[in-house]
Amino acid sequence: MSGKSINIAIDGPAGAGKSTIAKAAAKAFGFIYVDTGALYRAVAYYALSRGRDVSNAEAVESLLRDITPELKYMNGEQRVFLNGEDVSDKIRTPEVSMGASAVSAIPRVRDFLFDLQKKIAAENNVVMDGRDIGTVVLPDADVKIFLTASPEERARRRHKELTEKGQTVAFEEVLEDVNRRDYNDIHRDIAPLKQAEDAVLCDTTDADLQGAVDMLVNIISGKLNAKEC
């Protein structure tokens, strides 16, 4: 595989722990971690901050010419910049999460971010996660994994994360958001969430964080070793 970058594509539903688990796996291999969902969150954040309806394609599309999203790597960590401002923390609210799901269904938004994602993958060894990485963005990825967990477990993890950040939200509300995002992501017309035919299913419902990371690392190691043989 010398002469080209190594691309690991990880897809899965909201709250499956893709960001945390994929980031740890990338560190284990010395690869760059790319959270593509953060780019959609940045677009949603910009639209919401300007009072736009994120489900209105024309309203969102009219803002794209004013948006310059960037992924920068500082001290080994991905930071998300929007027009020069670090918005990494601002894009992690429930409102922006739902907004990201809405704007990701807009074809022009996907086209807008597609080239940036491809460029990063072409120039670096990456572990890239999202909803359509193995099916659309990196269909020729060296390894494809579909990372998931039950809706209840995903909601529990998200609720714990929000609580630790000092946010007060009911578990039932978080579970409702998880189920709604699942439905929206699976049923959207453009690049719907689905497992690529050649992706390995990785269900972390009954695994703790380290167990989930170990599962992912083992799958990636096995696939890369097989390619080298």
Side-chain angles (χ1 to χ4, degrees):
M1 289 182 286
S2 61
K4 69 178 286 289
S5 57
I6 299 173
N7 294 166
I8 312 299
I10 301 178
D11 292 308
K18 293 190 304 296
S19 297
T20 303
I21 298 169
K23 186 186 303 181
K27 184 177 182 180
F29 289 97
F31 292 0
I32 286 178
Y33 164 65
V34 183
D35 173 10
T36 61
L39 296 171
Y40 290 99
R41 285 173 178 268
V43 173
Y45 169 77
Y46 189 84
L48 290 167
S49 68
R50 287 185 174 47
R52 302 299 176 90
D53 178 359
V54 290
S55 62
N56 184 316
E58 290 186 1
V60 175
E61 289 169 357
S62 67
L63 297 174
L64 295 180
R65 62 177 177 272
D66 302 321
I67 299 176
T68 303
E70 296 177 276
L71 296 180
K72 296 184 180 181
Y73 298 87
M74 305 167 67
N75 299 319
E77 179 183 353
Q78 174 186 278
R79 303 296 292 179
V80 185
F81 283 75
L82 182 64
N83 297 341
E85 176 191 0
D86 187 343
V87 296
S88 304
D89 298 324
K90 294 179 179 179
I91 63 175
R92 295 298 170 180
T93 67
E95 182 184 20
V96 173
S97 293
M98 290 305 300
S101 183
V103 302
S104 67
I106 301 174
R108 279 191 60 192
V109 172
R110 303 197 71 82
D111 291 342
F112 176 69
L113 297 175
F114 183 80
D115 289 341
L116 175 58
Q117 296 170 44
K118 294 283 285 187
K119 183 174 186 293
I120 295 173
E123 296 176 351
N124 303 276
N125 292 333
V126 301
V127 174
M128 182 179 290
D129 76 37
R131 300 289 189 280
D132 64 345
I133 308 306
T135 54
V136 177
V137 180
L138 300 177
D140 298 320
D142 299 278
V143 183
K144 299 181 187 178
I145 298 171
F146 193 83
L147 185 67
T148 190
S150 69
E152 292 76 16
E153 175 60 17
R154 288 185 279 130
R156 186 193 67 76
R157 294 172 184 172
R158 180 60 175 159
H159 183 261
K160 181 174 182 289
E161 178 186 351
L162 293 173
T163 300
E164 290 175 346
K165 289 182 178 180
Q167 298 184 33
T168 302
V169 57
F171 172 79
E172 292 73 16
E173 182 181 342
V174 178
L175 179 58
E176 182 180 342
D177 282 347
V178 166
N179 286 326
R180 184 162 62 246
R181 287 198 69 183
D182 282 356
Y183 182 88
N184 291 342
D185 290 341
I186 292 170
H187 291 88
R188 69 190 184 200
D189 294 331
I190 304 298
L193 170 67
K194 63 180 179 180
Q195 182 178 341
E197 291 185 3
D198 53 348
V200 178
L201 179 65
C202 184
D203 190 326
T204 67
T205 299
D206 298 320
D208 60 13
L209 176 57
Q210 189 56 54
V213 172
D214 290 343
M215 289 170 65
L216 207 65
V217 169
N218 288 337
I219 292 171
I220 294 171
S221 294
K223 288 287 186 178
L224 292 182
N225 288 338
K227 280 180 173 288
E228 291 176 353
C229 294

